Amino acid sequence: MLEDILKKHPQHEDSLIEILLEYQNVKTKRYITDEEVEQIAKYLGVTESKVCSVVSFYTFFSTEPRGKHIIQVCKDVPCYVNGSGNVLKTLEQLLNIRIGETTKDEKFTLEYTSCLGNCDGAPAMRIDGKTFTNLNPNKVKAIISEYRGVN
Amino acid sequence: MEQKLVSKRFDAINPLSIDDYLESGGYETLKKALKRDRINIIEEIETARLRGRGGAAFPAHVKMMGIAKEEETTRYIICNADEGEPGNFKDRHLMEKDPHQFIEGMIITAYAIRATKGYIYIRGEYDKAHSIIEWTLEEARKKGFLGKNILESGFDFDIEIRSGAGSYVCGEEFALIESIEGKPGRTRVKPPFPTQKGLFDKPTLINNVETFANIPHILEMGGEAFAKIGTQSSTGTKLVSLSGNVNNPGVYEVPFGVPIKDVIEKLGGGSKDGRKIKMVQLGGACGPIIPEYMLDLTIDFDRFEDFDSKTGAGAIIVMDERFDVFDVLLRVAEFFEHESCGKCTPCREGNLQLVKLVEKFINRRATQKDLINIESLARVMHHTSLCGLGQTAPTAILSTLKYFRDDYLDLIEHPEL
Amino acid sequence: MVNIKINNTNVTVEEGTTILDAAKAKNIKIPTLCYYPDLDIKSDCRICTVEITGQKGLVTACSTPVRDGMEIKTNSPRVLNARKTITELMLANHDANCTACEKNMNCELQTLANTLGIDENRFESVLEMQELDTANTSITRNPNRCIKCGRCVDVCKNVQGINVLESMNRSHEMFISPKYGRYLSDEDCTFCGQCSSVCPVASITEKDDTDLVWNALDDDKKHVIVQVAPAVRVSLGEEMGQKPGSIVTTKMVAALKQLGFDRVFDTDFTADLTILEEGNELIHRITEGGKLPMITSCCPGWINLVEQQYPEIIDNLSSCKSPQQMFGALAKTYYAKKENIKPEDLFVVSIMPCTAKKYEAAREEMSADGKNRDVDAVLTTRELGKMVRQMGINFDQLEEIEFDDPFGITSGAGAIFGATGGVMEAALRTVSEVVNEKPLEKLEFESVRGLEGIKEAEVDLGGQKVKVAVAHSLSKAKQLADQVKAGTSPYAFIEVMTCPGGCIGGGGQPYNTTNAVREERIRATYQVDSDMKLRKSHENPVIQKLYEDYLTKPLSDLSHDLLHTHYHKRRT
């Protein structure tokens, strides 16, 4: 799978972030392993240290296995003053995990995110590639049920 | 009170339809521009006195003229769509609601400075904007507004999208360039400036989405007419991102010079549930926090005496009396502590110490000494950090030390509690 | 030219000059940390901050060019407060257990803190202790001392083209290391040690082997001998407070005697021997149609690079061991037999300008009996300096003593191994005389000397014009290696040295090695050469006798057993 993605990108250093983003998005558990770092480094003709410096700099990339769905909750001021604390509390209770953890069934990972640029719909969260706004505990429950495939 | 230039098509056209855009006069300015003298276009922008809309407010024509004079013929143009400043979302609206507009501005600018290739750097969190722009570029290509020999003018130019991957500092121009080059987003030493040695070491022009969106309007109405909008120092309109505890949060376009209070009251419908406004943060996390009594201030680029940028990119975050200054300060400090690239000492180490000091106040462990230390540290960070992130990270603290000093004193006066 | 004012003094400097250089010209000292002469301007420590009249923010002197009419204050209260604050911030995230540190009293951060008068840190410590990297035989990395100045990353990436050290993570969690903080040996580190040479604190150092040597010296059963590399005699003086370029050969021998070594020998001797073996190998390859270009193999950092990244060109490497290992092999066989010492009672130490030599000596091939190391311990010039100080030796007052026989009789050709181009020049002195069968009119091959990155020369060998090249620093070496790999190399013979300037600029040399210092050490090296009676390796009578008595002739079977080796693809 990684090989197919690599082939699509020119063998230049500036493809690195695009490759990582594309690969991590399609990979189950959404993380980058050491072997993959090695493979990418070889393809681009850069050192593994260099690839690691990029992977560890950007928050989108993970070196730990994560859940099928990644839930990101905004913790910045506009969301905070509109009740993002309740959103987080609801999520932690619903999923029975703390922020930064993955559910036992490997379905969800709960993370903080910096501002999602949806402050006109605060509080907001992002699940995978989708942003949800104007959240309240009931809305959060409904969204999670949908992702769980219940109801 | 609103004056719509760059937001005039918002919700009036189908953003995915290039025909809608064409019918509303879109790409007409480009057609005319391609027949104009290149330097003449830059001069028109000079007449308009357009200043960058990304927060730094640098005169747009200076950067353009700088590149136009470079000997190197490979030149890049980058649209900075890495809108990561908390409380800002106007670029997202520009991209989602009228995507052709800023792209038209970008093509015109590229023509004026003879850029050979363009990049739009969109933050990774903007999934929807990303796919809209992808679609929009394809539509523009199909109609011959991008690609080889644009509209038979002999000008070749195309645009590639690059995605951010979760880093606020990549909104800083050199950090953004490094990110496009596939590196961690850490700024470079200036000089040389991007216009001299930018992306892949070639002359590079970087502008914000809103700056590019203004270009077609300036050429359409003429620089002189544009300069009549707004104030003497800040011409044109500003998209304001209004958020926090207001009834109608959203993006509003107003001429420069409008009082902040009017935006909150008249456009935003005032504070939610009629609560008293405690404070307002301007510009975003990097901006000053001011008390309610200062809301007569107008929206313009003029700066506060002691710390940078009042308007910034145009965010207004309203917080009502339920919130404490330190609740906000802690979030702001933690934000910068997380987003610092780690390159320069004052920002890397200073932001962590600011978090520790703010926590000390919150936990009522702060002493008079801590008050002196937090002020001194904030000032040193502001004066010595390598890039805008570190320089503006302490703005919230510096402004609250000035306008909410009692809140600090309250917490150190009772160390026994 | 532009006119500026620094601390109210008028200064006229060329346009484009930085504030730092302008101040230097007027002997005004602005403290720096991330700045290092000859490296990129990083401007990330922010220590060299200065104030410009009329400007609100402060600017860094290292990165800001002067403008006409600029008025600069380098020591205003605001500047001093900023510097102090920044230094305190660093110290709050630094293992400042100074007395337990290799660089105590020689540390740039400590000096800075002292100068600024920091007696109390206003900020609480945020240091989280991390594990040390002691997994390899050459270099130790102590992340708890790192101040993230970025010098090591710069030298590793830009000077050496290796890019093993990088910045990981971000914010205050940023740290400098190989991938995700793992060991240097998990990546293709060549152990060149240039990172340790430029580190302002002791975050990256050579692995300290001084205790190993003290123990051997203390062991009555051991006969402890030492060899000293050519580049050490022109740099050790700096460890002893002398100025760069001082030649301290005889005092160094005296110091080693005082430390208790039974015999003090000269690696110049086996450098001469290398020339005979390698020179004959070159002649053999040229006349018999062997693999060309032939590339020198005396530099262990370079060998590591080839084995890691250029396995395709391994056959281009000369099969010769390095002078250090030729010495070790001869010591444990020829010398041991001659002196009637059991090899296991013989302890061989070498003093090298190099950190990679520690790795080389530990390679399993480097063993004459297949069990024990030929060279038992390798010390850098810095470590020798440390031992001399530990002994309380008054270096300047030492008497002057010559190297011991038999491995103390050497030629100037062996001596110039320490400078970039030296091996090439030494080889050409011998090879051209052997092939052309007449003495050289001029011994000096000026075109291969000096600090230019890649140097070329053309020589006449038996009527045939042959092109040769010399590279120093690995980024330059890679350029030549890429040519060889692609089959486009126009050369017959290439000399490669890992470190800028050659061994005189080695990763184990005294701190503060800059190009200006390298120039001085190079000048001294050629001074050593021109002062010698013997200037050509093949005229060294002890070498001639060694062949007569023992090795028979260059490239003989015994030579191959003892003095040559094989290289292969590997990860360090």
Side-chain angles (χ1 to χ4, degrees):
Chain A
M1 190 163 54
L2 176 56
E3 222 155 282
D4 297 331
I5 288 172
L6 288 176
K7 271 188 224 147
K8 289 200 296 187
H9 293 272
Q11 282 177 286
H12 292 148
E13 197 180 335
D14 67 291
S15 307
L16 176 56
I17 293 170
E18 298 287 310
I19 289 169
L20 291 168
L21 281 172
E22 194 177 334
Y23 180 59
Q24 202 185 237
N25 251 339
V26 296
K27 192 187 166 186
T28 39
K29 300 197 182 179
R30 295 150 153 273
Y31 76 117
I32 310 282
T33 65
D34 282 3
E35 291 71 34
E36 287 153 1
V37 165
E38 198 179 332
Q39 203 179 336
I40 295 167
K42 211 171 260 171
Y43 179 78
L44 296 177
V46 300
T47 61
E48 291 168 48
S49 292
K50 152 83 208 200
V51 176
C52 295
S53 76
V54 169
V55 170
S56 59
F57 182 87
Y58 294 98
T59 56
F60 276 24
F61 304 129
S62 175
T63 54
E64 300 288 333
R66 290 188 289 179
K68 187 172 172 210
H69 302 294
I70 293 165
I71 306 172
Q72 295 174 304
V73 185
C74 174
K75 63 177 211 173
D76 289 320
V77 172
C79 279
Y80 167 69
V81 298
N82 279 297
S84 60
N86 288 331
V87 172
L88 181 64
K89 216 181 289 164
T90 310
L91 283 166
E92 286 185 333
Q93 274 166 7
L94 273 177
L95 303 171
N96 200 21
I97 51 172
R98 302 287 300 273
I99 191 91
E101 294 176 349
T102 299
T103 53
K104 275 211 182 90
D105 61 2
E106 295 178 348
K107 211 156 179 195
F108 297 98
T109 296
L110 190 56
E111 293 177 354
Y112 272 132
T113 175
S114 289
C115 180
L116 292 168
N118 279 269
C119 324
D120 45 347
M125 69 175 179
R126 179 174 179 248
I127 303 182
D128 306 331
K130 205 166 170 217
T131 306
F132 299 88
T133 54
N134 296 309
L135 298 172
N136 54 46
N138 283 334
K139 208 167 164 187
V140 169
K141 275 176 205 156
I143 293 165
I144 295 301
S145 303
E146 207 166 296
Y147 274 85
R148 275 185 170 145
V150 189
N151 302 335
Chain B
M1 202 184 129
E2 280 188 278
Q3 183 167 357
K4 293 188 178 182
L5 283 183
V6 295
S7 65
K8 69 177 183 191
R9 294 190 194 84
F10 283 13
D11 304 319
I13 62 163
N14 172 4
L16 294 179
S17 161
I18 192 166
D19 292 329
D20 271 21
Y21 184 67
L22 290 169
E23 271 169 38
S24 65
Y27 289 116
E28 284 303 317
T29 320
L30 173 65
K31 284 179 198 162
K32 287 181 216 149
L34 290 173
K35 295 188 179 106
R36 272 178 89 161
D37 173 60
R38 291 179 152 97
I39 295 298
N40 185 256
I41 294 175
I42 303 177
E43 284 165 352
E44 194 74 62
I45 292 167
E46 184 175 4
T47 309
R49 300 205 304 279
L50 175 69
R51 293 168 72 177
R53 301 302 200 236
F58 195 76
H61 71 274
V62 175
K63 289 201 271 188
M64 291 175 77
M65 207 56 104
I67 291 206
K69 285 182 181 152
E70 285 289 323
E71 271 173 34
E72 172 63 52
T73 53
T74 302
R75 301 163 180 190
Y76 296 108
I77 185 166
I78 299 174
C79 176
N80 184 346
D82 191 52
E83 187 176 46
E85 186 69 55
N88 286 277
F89 39 94
K90 48 101 184 166
D91 290 340
R92 181 174 61 78
H93 282 241
L94 280 169
M95 290 188 282
E96 289 180 359
K97 294 181 169 180
D98 191 3
H100 284 286
Q101 174 180 245
F102 82 95
I103 288 169
E104 183 179 357
M106 203 174 159
I107 302 168
I108 294 169
T109 313
Y111 168 77
I113 64 161
R114 294 177 192 271
T116 42
K117 188 174 180 185
Y119 289 88
I120 299 174
Y121 185 90
I122 307 185
R123 63 189 307 231
E125 290 84 351
Y126 278 3
D127 310 275
K128 189 178 165 194
H130 189 288
S131 40
I132 290 177
I133 299 302
E134 226 164 346
W135 167 266
T136 304
L137 290 175
E138 202 38 58
E139 294 279 290
R141 269 180 217 117
K142 277 190 213 150
K143 297 269 187 194
F145 298 124
L146 279 172
K148 293 256 172 241
N149 192 16
I150 296 172
L151 302 175
E152 312 289 322
S153 64
F155 175 56
D156 302 338
F157 177 72
D158 211 331
I159 297 172
E160 199 178 302
I161 305 179
R162 287 299 173 98
S163 183
S167 164
Y168 162 81
V169 73
C170 288
E172 195 277 338
E173 50 188 6
F174 262 133
L176 188 154
I177 285 173
E178 290 274 308
S179 186
I180 294 183
E181 290 182 2
K183 302 169 187 164
R186 295 200 177 93
T187 194
R188 296 179 192 164
V189 180
K190 291 183 230 184
F193 293 92
T195 48
Q196 303 163 303
K197 226 176 156 192
L199 185 62
F200 305 118
D201 287 341
K202 303 291 183 194
T204 303
L205 179 77
I206 308 183
N207 278 336
N208 170 259
V209 182
E210 188 183 346
T211 313
F212 280 128
N214 270 292
I215 301 288
H217 299 284
I218 290 173
L219 295 196
E220 202 181 298
M221 68 170 75
E224 248 172 76
F226 184 88
K228 284 188 185 131
I229 309 171
T231 68
Q232 183 58 28
S233 67
S234 313
T235 59
T237 61
K238 185 77 199 82
L239 286 180
V240 172
S241 309
L242 180 64
S243 69
N245 306 127
V246 286
N247 281 312
N248 307 313
V251 172
Y252 301 99
E253 185 170 12
V254 293
F256 279 102
V258 164
I260 294 164
K261 194 178 216 160
D262 287 0
V263 175
I264 296 171
E265 299 295 335
K266 295 181 183 157
L267 299 175
S271 68
K272 237 182 212 167
D273 304 325
R275 287 200 178 88
K276 194 173 154 32
I277 293 173
K278 159 106 183 183
M279 57 199 156
V280 170
Q281 189 167 26
L282 303 175
C286 71
I289 295 175
I290 58 169
E292 202 257 342
Y293 66 79
M294 286 179 75
L295 293 179
D296 289 335
L297 278 172
T298 55
I299 290 171
D300 55 49
F301 287 130
D302 292 336
R303 281 142 196 263
F304 279 87
E305 197 47 35
D306 293 342
F307 31 82
D308 262 340
S309 131
K310 176 166 62 175
T311 300
I316 297 176
I317 308 166
V318 179
M319 290 160 273
D320 66 37
E321 60 194 355
R322 290 170 299 161
F323 298 97
D324 183 73
V325 168
F326 282 89
D327 277 348
V328 179
L329 286 182
L330 183 63
R331 260 146 198 96
V332 171
E334 281 177 342
F335 172 76
F336 286 111
E337 189 271 312
H338 179 66
E339 296 295 346
S340 164
C341 82
K343 186 175 164 74
C344 78
T345 319
C347 181
R348 181 186 63 241
E349 307 294 342
N351 277 307
L352 177 61
Q353 294 292 348
L354 285 184
V355 171
K356 301 250 170 211
L357 284 162
V358 169
E359 280 173 344
K360 253 182 159 178
F361 278 94
I362 291 172
N363 298 327
R364 296 179 174 245
R365 288 193 299 109
T367 62
Q368 190 67 35
K369 240 183 179 174
D370 290 313
L371 183 67
I372 297 168
N373 288 348
I374 197 171
E375 189 152 16
S376 158
L377 173 59
R379 241 172 249 294
V380 169
M381 286 170 67
H382 176 54
H383 284 149
T384 63
S385 290
L386 177 58
C387 85
L389 188 150
Q391 289 160 14
T392 58
T395 306
I397 287 173
L398 286 170
S399 57
T400 47
L401 277 164
K402 190 163 181 180
Y403 304 120
F404 295 92
R405 202 171 185 87
D406 284 348
D407 294 54
Y408 287 81
L409 294 173
D410 281 350
L411 293 174
I412 54 171
E413 273 174 358
H414 312 290
E416 70 279 6
L417 287 177
Chain C
M1 300 299 276
V2 292
N3 296 304
I4 57 168
K5 262 188 187 172
I6 306 181
N7 301 343
N8 287 322
T9 311
N10 288 317
V11 185
T12 307
V13 287
E14 257 178 75
E15 206 179 322
T17 309
T18 61
I19 295 174
L20 186 65
D21 287 337
K24 246 183 227 164
K26 276 279 165 185
N27 271 326
I28 296 168
K29 194 172 157 50
I30 300 172
T32 55
L33 259 187
C34 68
Y35 171 83
Y36 197 88
D38 322 319
L39 292 184
D40 279 355
I41 298 294
K42 286 163 275 294
S43 184
D44 49 26
C45 76
R46 317 304 286 174
I47 283 297
C48 68
T49 262
V50 295
E51 187 171 344
I52 295 172
T53 308
Q55 217 164 301
K56 235 170 48 184
L58 302 171
V59 303
T60 44
C62 67
S63 66
T64 310
V66 294
R67 265 182 295 101
D68 203 37
M70 213 181 227
E71 287 181 29
I72 301 151
K73 287 184 211 143
T74 68
N75 282 317
S76 68
R78 195 153 72 101
V79 166
L80 288 180
N81 177 56
R83 279 189 202 140
K84 217 170 158 175
T85 305
I86 294 166
T87 309
E88 284 172 82
L89 287 172
M90 278 182 202
L91 287 167
N93 199 2
H94 173 78
D95 181 5
N97 187 0
C98 291
T99 52
C101 176
E102 293 88 325
K103 287 200 94 167
N104 188 23
M105 312 292 280
N106 190 20
C107 165
E108 294 180 41
L109 180 64
Q110 191 184 40
T111 307
L112 184 67
N114 273 329
T115 316
L116 292 169
I118 294 171
D119 32 32
E120 184 200 24
N121 196 336
R122 285 172 290 166
F123 306 112
E124 73 176 85
S125 173
V126 290
L127 177 70
E128 284 170 28
M129 291 293 252
Q130 307 290 321
E131 185 202 352
L132 270 54
D133 177 1
T134 54
N136 68 78
T137 50
S138 284
I139 293 167
T140 300
R141 214 171 50 77
N142 182 340
N144 307 311
R145 293 181 184 145
C146 180
I147 54 166
K148 288 99 173 175
C149 69
R151 286 182 187 175
C152 58
V153 177
D154 187 5
V155 88
C156 184
K157 190 191 305 192
N158 301 323
V159 176
Q160 299 296 57
I162 298 299
N163 203 190
V164 160
L165 290 171
E166 262 290 359
S167 307
M168 301 296 151
N169 280 346
R170 66 188 200 188
S171 75
H172 79 277
E173 286 172 346
M174 190 267 258
F175 59 92
I176 289 164
S177 78
K179 48 180 183 184
Y180 303 140
R182 280 184 223 149
Y183 298 142
L184 285 162
S185 42
D186 287 331
E187 258 278 19
D188 285 341
C189 174
T190 64
F191 302 128
C192 76
Q194 285 298 314
C195 50
S196 72
S197 171
V198 296
C199 180
V201 292
S203 183
I204 308 181
T205 55
E206 63 271 68
K207 181 178 171 287
D208 189 340
D209 287 315
T210 53
D211 279 346
L212 192 64
V213 175
W214 282 126
N215 288 340
L217 289 168
D218 193 39
D219 188 340
D220 293 339
K221 289 200 291 289
K222 293 276 186 201
H223 178 78
V224 186
I225 65 172
V226 63
Q227 56 165 323
V228 191
V232 177
R233 69 209 61 189
V234 295
S235 64
L236 181 69
E238 293 164 46
E239 284 289 318
M240 301 298 129
Q242 299 188 16
K243 63 178 195 305
S246 306
I247 301 168
V248 297
T249 319
T250 47
K251 301 241 179 213
M252 174 182 75
V253 174
L256 288 163
K257 294 256 175 191
Q258 285 213 1
L259 290 178
F261 288 100
D262 294 302
R263 294 278 194 289
V264 179
F265 293 129
D266 195 348
T267 312
D268 287 17
F269 177 81
T270 35
D272 279 337
L273 186 62
T274 301
I275 289 304
L276 288 208
E277 292 293 326
E278 198 167 88
N280 279 291
E281 186 184 353
L282 178 64
I283 294 166
H284 184 80
R285 287 197 193 205
I286 291 175
T287 53
E288 306 288 317
K291 191 98 173 169
L292 290 175
M294 187 176 90
I295 315 177
T296 57
S297 59
C298 30
C299 172
W302 161 241
I303 294 297
N304 288 342
L305 176 74
V306 173
E307 291 188 335
Q308 291 159 352
Q309 293 189 39
Y310 291 93
E312 305 87 348
I313 69 167
I314 280 178
D315 290 343
N316 292 83
L317 292 174
S318 159
S319 63
C320 286
K321 287 181 184 172
S322 70
Q324 165 176 275
Q325 294 309 139
M326 285 195 184
F327 181 96
L330 282 179
K332 291 278 170 96
T333 55
Y334 173 76
Y335 175 79
K337 202 168 155 195
K338 199 163 160 269
E339 297 289 314
N340 208 7
I341 303 165
K342 278 193 246 157
E344 54 268 34
D345 290 336
L346 181 62
F347 194 87
V348 179
V349 177
S350 54
I351 313 293
M352 295 284 141
C354 180
T355 47
K357 285 281 172 196
K358 289 175 185 268
Y359 173 80
E360 181 189 66
R363 288 169 73 116
E364 55 178 22
E365 307 91 306
M366 300 302 166
S367 166
D369 64 3
K371 289 196 297 277
N372 301 298
R373 286 168 56 144
D374 287 345
V375 174
D376 296 285
V378 179
L379 301 178
T380 62
T381 311
R382 295 192 293 259
E383 285 172 284
L384 175 58
K386 178 178 165 182
M387 287 180 75
V388 173
R389 286 190 295 272
Q390 281 176 322
M391 268 297 254
I393 293 171
N394 187 338
F395 194 77
D396 296 339
Q397 300 300 314
L398 287 168
E399 56 178 325
E400 310 214 336
I401 302 179
E402 300 291 334
F403 282 110
D404 288 317
D405 287 342
F407 304 142
I409 309 294
T410 59
S411 82
I416 58 174
F417 264 55
T420 167
V423 177
M424 177 59 70
E425 182 169 339
L428 292 179
R429 286 181 191 174
T430 289
V431 170
S432 30
E433 289 204 356
V434 170
V435 175
N436 299 338
E437 293 176 342
K438 59 171 188 203
L440 280 166
E441 282 162 24
K442 186 174 187 309
L443 281 179
E444 293 80 12
F445 288 79
E446 309 280 359
S447 55
V448 297
R449 296 184 175 187
L451 282 181
E452 199 187 321
I454 293 176
K455 295 163 283 185
E456 287 183 318
E458 201 170 65
V459 285
D460 190 335
L461 292 182
Q464 193 185 342
K465 293 272 183 216
V466 171
K467 282 181 94 173
V468 300
V470 171
H472 60 119
S473 83
L474 288 178
S475 58
K476 294 291 186 291
K478 279 173 122 178
Q479 291 177 17
L480 296 185
D482 285 333
Q483 282 184 340
V484 176
K485 192 171 147 183
T488 57
S489 180
Y491 310 110
F493 187 34
I494 295 173
E495 176 206 295
V496 173
M497 292 297 153
T498 294
C499 294
C503 308
I504 55 93
Q509 290 283 52
Y511 292 119
N512 304 316
T513 300
T514 61
N515 279 344
V517 171
R518 288 185 184 100
E519 302 266 16
E520 284 306 308
R521 293 181 192 155
I522 288 173
R523 188 193 47 70
T525 300
Y526 290 112
Q527 184 68 47
V528 171
D529 167 39
S530 59
D531 286 349
M532 290 186 84
K533 274 199 286 285
L534 293 168
R535 305 279 306 276
K536 303 166 201 162
S537 301
H538 58 287
E539 290 176 356
N540 182 336
V542 187
I543 295 279
Q544 289 167 350
K545 192 156 183 335
L546 178 68
Y547 278 113
E548 262 167 47
D549 291 356
Y550 192 61
L551 297 166
T552 66
K553 62 176 201 299
L555 309 181
S556 71
D557 284 350
L558 188 54
S559 287
H560 265 291
D561 273 358
L562 293 178
L563 311 180
H564 292 253
T565 185
H566 295 286
Y567 302 103
H568 55 265
K569 187 176 176 186
R570 76 177 104 194
R571 206 154 207 197
T572 39

